[in-house]
Amino acid sequence: MAYVALLRADYHVLKSKDAAIDPAFRIKFETWDSKLFASKPAPEIYWEFIVSERNLLLKEYQSLAGQGVTVPGVQIEVSF
């Protein structure tokens, strides 16, 4: 479950550290970030899994995920 917290931590590092160092990156990050919030509740993998699991883990010490968990609305296609 630590990976969920790390995914959210990556977001905060990009926002507070990397964007502060590079103005070009800051513009790109802010554009991406505003699109992410404007598209809520999509993408579901972010809002319904990463954010919700992170909040449960770090704020309430609980988790809904377990073996064989299915995240609704997420489709992964792999082609070689």
Side-chain angles (χ1 to χ4, degrees):
M1 293 298 136
Y3 60 88
V4 176
L6 290 173
L7 287 171
R8 280 294 283 170
D10 288 342
Y11 170 87
H12 290 289
V13 169
L14 291 170
K15 183 176 182 177
S16 63
K17 299 295 181 185
D18 294 348
I21 294 170
D22 184 352
F25 177 81
R26 180 179 47 79
I27 292 168
K28 289 178 183 178
F29 179 82
E30 288 174 354
T31 301
W32 171 82
D33 193 43
S34 64
K35 288 180 183 178
L36 177 66
F37 277 85
S39 70
K40 190 175 181 178
E44 292 83 3
I45 187 70
Y46 182 75
W47 296 109
E48 293 180 16
F49 182 67
I50 294 173
V51 172
S52 63
E53 274 293 306
R54 174 254 184 194
N55 289 342
L56 279 173
L57 284 170
L58 300 181
K59 296 178 181 181
E60 299 179 32
Y61 307 108
Q62 298 177 15
S63 176
L64 297 177
Q67 278 190 322
V69 69
T70 301
V71 179
V74 177
Q75 297 177 349
I76 299 173
E77 186 175 316
V78 178
S79 59
F80 295 94

